[in-house]
Amino acid sequence: MDSSDAKQLFADFVVPNYGRYDVVLDRGEGTRVWDDAGKSYLDFGAGIAVSVLGHRHPRILEALSFQGARLIHTSNLYYTRPQGELARRLVELTRLPGKVFFANSGAEVNEALIKAARKFGNECIPKSGQAEPRYEILTFHRSFHGRTMAGISATAQEKVKVGFGPLLSGFRHLPYNDLGAVKDAISPQTVGILMEVVQGEGGIHVAAPEFLHGLRALCDEHDLLLMFDEIQCGLGRVGTWRAWEDLDPTVMPDAVSWAKGIGGGFPLGAAWFGQKSVQRREGGAIKFCDLLQPGTHGTTFGGTPLACAVSLAVLRAIEEEGLLAHVRRLGAEAVQKLQAVKGVKEVRGFGLMLGMELDERLAAATQGSGPTAALAVVTRLLQNGLMAVPAGPTVIRFLPPLNVRPEEVDEAVAILAATLQSF
Ligand code: PLP
């Protein structure tokens, strides 16, 4: 089957909900992928921050074949060792006591956070003693929390909501890094705050340490949940297991969601809930992480032995290969090099989650070559052998595998510089 056949199959049989680049990918190895015509590309998208160990990593292949030959799936009606061990590992990585719920994607684990917050708001008495239930979750402009109905309701970007009303009520969107706006917005209905400490899809924006600190203080004062969506920025992407730690290590969340890189390409999502003691209207005190009791929430595929075994292998490889320090070092070097590229106005982010804001000249020069400047540039980067991801209309995102080599970073920077020159 050649490329045109593959594309025809999509045209005939696949729902056209994605804009796709004109390439049929066939195989990958390390930081490179090849299309079906044999052309190679440097993969600085990594499946949108997913393939953290690159392609065909031996530890992932080993886990797939070992666990695949043993037990791929069973239901959550039974116990399995890999799920328990992965939960323990994730609790260790948060450095906070708590418990973990597993699902298959980012949207689903954010759904779990939202449902747990609703349960907390409906069933628990806040410190103030307020009798009325609380349900409202505050989120931030340019955020992205997934494509389920709750996800798009939580997401503060109009483009994901259009055509899907009525949305789930109970979300309010506020300016990012504006503590005063949050203080003013908190109402008797507010139950929590959901945020990305490094916003990904919205264009790579980093939370100010004092903002995080202030949010924690407000949450403590009003007995609100502070929930971090670390789906894109967590588990090593910015050079630490806990992205928030780089900004303010003293800030402790009540809940965290992870997906994307957690399985190195194998679908998996996880939500961690902390041990905060909460007082139920009926049934006395309970830990927040025990609120989702049997029958309240679940999913068939959440935490299969295969997914969890692969994730354990991925997390082990990140540790054993010293990738956190590697990401921090390469990221800092990359920022320096990218700042010097003509056409880049600003580089945002850290570790290997970097966004290059295009300057006005380039944004104007790309007009007519694509719906947005970022898309026009990313399309030409692909033609030039580099995969990157747009983030908003004028930002190019680099999200390479965490084990990318320094010479591959140099190659990507050179392709970016030459491509921007070509406009
Ligand atoms: N939250 C964040 C921060 C994300 O970046 C994404 C995906 O881009 C999601 C949630 C949704 O994850 P998924 O696409 O796995 O549902």
Side-chain angles (χ1 to χ4, degrees):
M1 184 183 292
D2 67 21
S3 302
S4 55
D5 294 332
K7 283 181 229 160
Q8 196 56 50
L9 289 174
F10 275 66
D12 292 343
F13 300 113
V14 179
V15 171
N17 59 315
Y18 301 103
R20 294 179 196 268
Y21 299 102
D22 190 17
V23 50
V24 179
L25 296 177
D26 185 44
R27 67 189 176 87
E29 175 95 46
T31 306
R32 269 179 210 281
V33 291
W34 284 262
D35 69 16
D36 62 353
K39 177 173 170 177
S40 97
Y41 304 82
L42 205 47
D43 187 359
F44 269 50
I48 320 187
V50 167
S51 309
V52 286
L53 299 180
H55 303 279
R56 275 176 56 87
H57 192 284
R59 298 297 284 273
I60 295 184
L61 299 184
E62 196 180 79
L64 280 170
S65 91
F66 177 81
Q67 188 59 45
R70 204 172 177 84
L71 184 67
I72 291 177
H73 173 80
T74 179
S75 75
N76 275 304
L77 300 176
Y78 311 99
Y79 298 97
T80 61
R81 186 164 287 283
Q83 186 177 137
E85 285 182 359
L86 180 59
R88 178 175 60 188
R89 184 71 187 121
L90 291 168
V91 170
E92 273 168 21
L93 293 182
T94 60
R95 291 220 193 111
L96 295 167
K99 290 184 181 169
V100 177
F101 164 81
F102 291 101
N104 312 287
S105 66
E108 274 179 281
V109 284
N110 279 343
E111 190 83 23
L113 258 49
I114 292 164
K115 283 183 74 176
R118 284 279 177 103
K119 249 208 167 335
F120 172 60
N122 282 318
E123 294 184 1
C124 302
I125 309 166
K127 279 193 292 196
S128 67
Q130 175 181 314
E132 301 78 50
R134 306 185 297 167
Y135 57 87
E136 186 185 65
I137 296 175
L138 306 178
T139 69
F140 296 98
H141 294 167
R142 295 182 310 240
S143 56
F144 185 78
H145 298 298
R147 296 280 189 165
T148 58
M149 285 305 294
I152 62 172
S153 305
T155 295
Q157 295 194 53
E158 200 45 36
K159 66 178 185 193
V160 308
K161 302 176 192 266
V162 176
F164 294 109
L167 298 176
L168 189 68
S169 59
F171 293 96
R172 197 131 47 105
H173 308 320
L174 304 172
Y176 198 62
N177 279 335
D178 184 343
L179 198 59
V182 180
K183 213 179 270 181
D184 292 345
I186 292 170
S187 75
Q189 286 76 47
T190 310
V191 72
I193 295 173
L194 173 65
M195 69 175 299
E196 299 154 83
V197 303
V198 184
Q199 292 185 324
E201 301 306 301
I204 310 288
H205 296 274
V206 183
E210 55 279 14
F211 182 57
L212 279 192
H213 201 80
L215 289 181
R216 181 68 265 175
L218 284 175
C219 287
D220 290 342
E221 184 185 339
H222 297 276
D223 201 5
L224 310 177
L225 301 171
L226 183 59
M227 301 182 285
F228 289 157
D229 176 343
E230 298 248 318
I231 285 164
Q232 190 162 149
C233 62
L235 296 181
R237 172 59 47 199
V238 295
T240 48
W241 293 116
R242 304 156 292 275
W244 71 85
E245 187 181 80
D246 255 327
L247 306 169
D248 185 338
T250 67
V251 169
M252 304 299 172
D254 298 301
V256 178
S257 53
W258 300 284
K260 289 197 179 280
I262 192 173
F266 199 92
L268 181 67
W272 168 89
F273 299 105
Q275 272 193 346
K276 169 189 174 79
S277 174
V278 298
Q279 194 63 39
R280 281 180 296 183
R281 289 176 214 285
E282 286 163 29
I286 191 170
K287 288 175 183 157
F288 176 53
C289 58
D290 290 327
L291 258 189
L292 293 176
Q293 287 283 311
T296 59
H297 193 48
T299 169
T300 299
F301 291 120
T304 66
L306 184 58
C308 293
V310 172
S311 177
L312 280 163
V314 168
L315 299 176
R316 210 174 297 129
I318 291 176
E319 188 161 48
E320 287 175 9
E321 293 177 22
L323 294 183
L324 298 183
H326 175 80
V327 165
R328 285 198 296 275
R329 195 182 64 248
L330 250 62
E333 288 166 13
V335 169
Q336 299 284 318
K337 291 169 188 165
L338 288 163
Q339 273 166 343
V341 170
K342 216 163 152 243
V344 170
K345 185 161 92 180
E346 186 188 15
V347 182
R348 292 192 294 267
F350 55 107
L352 292 175
M353 184 171 179
L354 299 173
M356 284 66 76
E357 178 92 47
L358 301 171
D359 68 14
E360 287 74 16
R361 184 203 66 81
L362 212 91
T366 51
Q367 260 180 14
S369 326
T372 65
L375 200 57
V377 169
V378 168
T379 304
R380 200 170 292 181
L381 285 174
L382 189 67
Q383 287 157 4
N384 294 340
L386 176 65
M387 295 160 84
V389 191
T394 52
V395 178
I396 311 300
R397 218 173 348 162
F398 277 1
L399 302 159
L402 305 185
N403 56 0
V404 64
R405 295 198 305 265
E407 59 274 22
E408 292 168 332
V409 173
D410 290 344
E411 192 182 336
V413 174
I415 296 175
L416 178 70
T419 303
L420 295 188
Q421 281 282 325
S422 73
F423 280 98

